[in-house]
Amino acid sequence: MPSERAAEFTINHVQVLDREGNVDEELDPDLSEERLLELYRGMKRARRLDERAIALQRRGESGTIAPALGQEAAQVGSAVALAEDDWMVPSFRENAAYLARGTPPHALLWYAMGMEEGAEIPDGQNDLPPSIAVGSQAIHAAGLGWAQAIKGEEHATIGYFGDGATSEGDVYEGMNCAGVYDAHTVFFCQNNQYAISVPREKQTRAETIAQKAIAAGITGVQVDGNDVLGVHRVVEEALEMARKGEPVLVEAMTYRQSMHTTADDPSVYREREEEEGWEERDPIDRFETYLEGRGILDDETREEIEEAIEEELAEAVERAQEGREEIDPAEMFDHVFSELPPELESQRAAFGGEENGE
């Protein structure tokens, strides 16, 4: 049987800022000092919000939280690369990206507290509300990107999902659709090494997740997801390609330093030694070293930033707590059906302590 090469491909891995805080000058996105401090402030703010949110959940003041500790560079670096008119399709772990796009922190706490107001997007902000359905984001992002192509817009859409989602058919279908219809879409996979408790090596035999783009005929690229400069550069270039009808899959190699959600115990399925190895690659520590080396960040500036974040988040927590006291949880039954089905009517009555109409 004659044999000849049918196709071949390569996947590039990009890193601008190494673990020691040294920058590759050829790849340096050359951002202004103001922009660099914006990235730093965004990562610090997101981490503290996660820590405050976990504390609230542990005190029984909110529902389940999905922290993004360790993934701040991937989210902030990518979200800041978006233009105001671009669209963002988040999953359920994108608090850092939401903050970078302008969502106030008290709204994110409201969402965790079960208040529907927490899913409201501020006027003029082109973001979808959180979606927990794994992999659905790729389809929504492909649809929005296709609409942008049909309308001839010079905008793009980014869709966030995790490494586990890439085992779902929805993600491939979204990428395939985007490739066929020249959708203005960037698929952004945060490869945090675990699909809840399933490690990356047991999710797929593929050497990289980025190469899953090849089957859909679109570009795939891998970036160090704990390198905020690398993520920003790669996503900015991917968005430019997407705006021209060339969809891209970006795989950001990062690590979920904390639990999958506050209902999870990662010590059951991974070793402390592994966690310590990734903590040495912490995205905020790395960026601090870089900023300090350039004379952009010193102790005084860091303290000012941290004090401002603490003050803002204290006010946000207070506002979230006050808002929670004003709601009636039974309202969740009021806005889905014009006429409530009997089983939900029964649940509503039971929820309000009035089971069987008593």
Side-chain angles (χ1 to χ4, degrees):
M1 177 182 296
S3 176
E4 61 183 15
R5 182 182 61 80
E8 62 181 17
F9 62 87
T10 59
I11 296 296
N12 291 329
H13 176 88
V14 178
Q15 182 188 63
V16 174
L17 195 62
D18 68 17
R19 299 183 191 185
E20 287 72 40
N22 303 307
V23 70
D24 184 324
E25 294 184 0
E26 290 188 9
L27 297 177
D28 188 348
D30 196 24
L31 303 176
S32 67
E33 291 188 8
E34 181 181 2
R35 191 70 153 174
L36 293 170
L37 284 176
E38 178 189 1
L39 293 171
Y40 176 71
R41 190 180 299 108
M43 290 196 289
K44 295 277 285 188
R45 187 171 172 237
R47 180 162 296 188
R48 279 299 291 149
L49 178 63
D50 267 345
E51 292 169 347
R52 297 294 300 266
I54 292 171
L56 288 171
Q57 194 278 334
R58 295 308 193 211
R59 295 203 300 264
E61 294 190 53
S62 85
T64 302
I65 305 293
L69 297 168
Q71 299 179 219
E72 294 88 353
Q75 293 194 21
V76 175
S78 57
V80 167
L82 290 166
E84 185 176 346
D85 291 328
D86 291 336
W87 278 84
M88 180 178 84
V89 183
S91 59
F92 53 87
R93 199 187 299 282
E94 272 69 56
N95 276 356
Y98 269 125
L99 288 174
R101 292 277 282 171
T103 297
H106 75 269
L108 299 171
L109 295 175
W110 275 348
Y111 180 78
M113 291 175 174
M115 296 171 60
E116 61 188 61
E117 290 83 353
E120 290 181 359
I121 304 300
D123 290 341
Q125 192 171 310
N126 290 348
D127 303 338
L128 295 193
S131 174
I132 296 176
V134 174
S136 63
Q137 299 78 20
I139 295 176
H140 297 157
L144 278 165
W146 185 12
Q148 289 166 325
I150 291 171
K151 295 167 73 174
E153 294 183 354
E154 296 182 353
H155 312 310
T157 297
I158 189 169
Y160 289 87
F161 46 84
D163 44 300
T166 65
S167 297
E168 299 280 349
D170 286 1
V171 172
Y172 173 72
E173 291 168 20
M175 292 193 297
N176 192 60
C177 174
V180 169
Y181 294 108
D182 304 326
H184 295 192
T185 306
V186 173
F187 301 93
F188 191 79
C189 173
Q190 292 175 83
N191 178 359
N192 67 14
Q193 312 302 320
Y194 283 91
I196 307 182
S197 59
V198 180
R200 157 71 174 83
E201 61 271 19
K202 292 186 178 179
Q203 296 176 46
T204 175
R205 193 168 172 174
E207 191 172 359
T208 70
I209 285 176
Q211 72 196 61
K212 296 190 176 188
I214 305 304
I218 67 175
T219 299
V221 60
Q222 188 184 75
V223 62
D224 181 341
N226 285 6
D227 164 15
V228 69
L229 296 181
V231 171
H232 189 278
R233 179 190 174 97
V234 165
V235 172
E236 196 167 54
E237 291 177 353
L239 287 166
E240 282 303 307
M241 292 176 62
R243 293 185 184 105
K244 298 173 184 174
E246 299 176 39
V248 180
L249 168 62
V250 177
E251 176 190 7
M253 297 287 286
T254 183
Y255 191 72
R256 191 192 73 214
Q257 291 186 5
S258 186
M259 67 286 279
H260 171 69
T261 71
T262 44
D264 172 46
D265 177 9
S267 68
V268 173
Y269 53 82
R270 66 188 191 191
E271 300 296 329
R272 180 63 189 142
E273 183 179 359
E274 175 189 305
E275 296 175 345
E276 290 174 347
W278 277 94
E279 286 170 5
E280 294 175 358
R281 311 181 203 180
D282 186 89
I284 297 178
D285 291 347
R286 182 189 308 191
F287 198 43
E288 272 188 351
T289 302
Y290 166 72
L291 294 177
E292 289 169 350
R294 286 195 52 185
I296 296 172
L297 184 70
D298 55 23
D299 291 342
E300 183 179 355
T301 304
R302 180 169 38 245
E303 288 175 9
E304 288 176 357
I305 290 172
E306 291 175 349
E307 287 176 5
I309 289 172
E310 293 304 318
E311 184 176 345
E312 179 193 21
L313 295 187
E315 292 176 359
V317 170
E318 184 176 357
R319 184 173 180 186
Q321 291 169 328
E322 290 175 353
R324 184 190 55 190
E325 298 300 321
E326 297 171 359
I327 66 166
D328 176 6
E331 286 184 356
M332 75 172 87
F333 295 98
D334 293 345
H335 306 295
V336 178
F337 297 95
S338 59
E339 185 174 339
L340 212 58
E343 65 274 17
L344 291 183
E345 188 68 61
S346 175
Q347 289 182 26
R348 190 187 200 289
F351 197 76
E354 298 174 353
E355 193 170 14
N356 299 322
E358 297 179 357

